[in-house]
Amino acid sequence: MILKLSNLVVSFETESGRVRAVDGVSFSLKEGQTLGIVGESGCGKSVTALSIMGLLPKPFSKIESGVIEFKGRDIVPLMGSQTKRSSKNAKEKKEKSKKEKSDEMQKIRGRKISMIFQEPMTALNPVHKIGSQMNEVYQLHFPQMNRADMDRASIEMLYQVGIATPQKLMQQYPHQLSGGMRQRVMIAMALSSKPDILIADEPTTALDVTVQAQILELIGDLKNRFSMSVILITHDLGVIAENCEQAIVMYGGRVAERAGVVDLFDNPLHPYTQGLLKSIPTLNQIPKSTLPTIKGRVPSLEDMPSGCRFSNRCERVMDICRASVPIELNPKDDHFVACHLFR
Ligand SMILES: Nc1ncnc2c1ncn2[C@@H]1O[C@H](COP(=O)(O)OP(=O)(O)OP(=O)(O)O)[C@@H](O)[C@H]1O
Ligand SMILES: [Mg+2]
């Protein structure tokens, strides 16, 4: 197991009080595998990813509790002040250890665990050439490298992500590239430190369908070439089916169900997963027939029902669902579900 989350709770301080955007999320990522995280907008996919990266927006959000183990070691304590404890005498010592910890997190973030984002244009600097932005990543992680080595490494990496003219591209600005090319550059940057884990947060939503497929294929290909493990975040179950070995379905900041992909598609247990699966179009569908959708919409965090957060939309709701939070059950090998139907 290269990454293991146990009972992660992340809260945001909002105008109407503290809300839990991630509420007790657990899952494991096996070495060399691709794990998909799927769920409707606002279900906590990105917040989960940012927590792993130690990039939660401060001071509004914090990890309340839980463990994030990277190669067997809890990295939550490295992420800086999660708890507000301070004694005057030990302040100096604490400052020093705080710095050491954040240096250590810096080494993990970007170097051991890298992330690519949905919209590459916001992550690339419009006024700098691709070459200097690529080199900057090497400067950060490998300050001992000289300029010529950095250029060489950047060109090699751009070539690895399928750019046929890397030398020319180094001299170009982000706006001169297509969306697919920009995403390839982002992937090249994320991989330049040869990370163990790549987190791809909706890496293809801004792209058209053919380019989407190419980028996903590239990520799968690079996963094998660089022996990485991948977390692929998407709202598209089709993407999960084609690219992942394991998947977790999130709803309202919690894990509704997690299982191997084949098992999840053949035998979905949670009514929410079943609803999502029914809403995927299939080739043999009668043209113009409307797809069944899950009724209602996801409530905002402030308005989540107590008990099971899906209870107000669930077709199989029972009294207990409104009264108590379902714990995660394990009715079958490696297949987990948080639903009162399986008690
Ligand atoms: N900076 C923030 N301040 C306040 N609330 C936030 C902030 N970022 C996220 N949230 C809340 O946390 C919850 C989870 O958000 P998150 O961005 O993880 O959703 P998501 O699953 O990634 O959705 P999407 O598919 O739209 O990207 C949402 O209810 C959102 O409103
Ligand atoms: Mg998101």
Side-chain angles (χ1 to χ4, degrees), residues 23 254 305-309 320-328 338-340 343:
D23 191 17
R254 295 182 186 149
S306 52
C308 174
R309 287 182 164 183
I320 188 174
C321 305
R322 300 194 182 92
S324 87
V325 178
I327 55 161
E328 194 171 68
C339 174
H340 288 299
R343 288 195 335 147

Side-chain angles (χ1 to χ4, degrees), residues 40-47 49-50 115 118 201-202 233 235:
E40 285 166 280
S41 187
C43 71
K45 304 181 295 294
S46 296
V47 171
L50 293 173
M115 183 159 167
Q118 186 168 341
D201 189 358
E202 313 226 27
I233 297 176
H235 51 256

Side-chain angles (χ1 to χ4, degrees), residues 242-269:
E242 280 180 30
N243 298 281
C244 304
E245 280 105 2
Q246 297 281 321
I248 69 176
V249 179
M250 286 186 71
Y251 187 86
R254 295 182 186 149
V255 176
E257 184 164 0
R258 59 187 169 109
V261 162
V262 177
D263 201 22
L264 189 80
F265 280 75
D266 284 354
N267 187 21
L269 299 177

Side-chain angles (χ1 to χ4, degrees), residues 79-145:
M79 294 180 186
S81 54
Q82 297 297 338
T83 47
K84 286 179 196 145
R85 267 179 288 129
S86 77
S87 92
K88 267 183 189 165
N89 320 352
K91 204 174 170 194
E92 204 170 290
K93 208 170 152 193
K94 236 175 212 157
E95 282 301 314
K96 188 165 169 246
S97 98
K98 212 165 129 187
K99 171 142 188 2
E100 279 164 7
K101 280 178 185 164
S102 74
D103 286 353
E104 238 178 307
M105 193 58 214
Q106 190 97 48
K107 276 188 196 143
I108 294 174
R109 174 193 318 138
R111 185 144 169 191
K112 304 278 184 211
I113 310 177
S114 276
M115 183 159 167
I116 47 177
F117 300 87
Q118 186 168 341
E119 190 18 89
M121 206 51 201
T122 54
L124 289 168
N125 188 331
V127 301
H128 291 296
K129 287 180 182 167
I130 299 298
S132 72
Q133 300 194 55
M134 285 286 301
N135 287 1
E136 220 172 87
V137 186
Y138 287 102
Q139 259 158 22
L140 180 69
H141 296 302
F142 309 104
Q144 72 285 3
M145 278 172 91

Side-chain angles (χ1 to χ4, degrees), residues 116-126 133 174 178-187 189 202-207:
I116 47 177
F117 300 87
Q118 186 168 341
E119 190 18 89
M121 206 51 201
T122 54
L124 289 168
N125 188 331
Q133 300 194 55
S178 68
M181 292 278 267
R182 275 184 221 133
Q183 196 54 290
R184 283 177 198 268
V185 170
M186 291 307 302
I187 296 172
M189 284 180 175
E202 313 226 27
T204 58
T205 25
L207 307 171

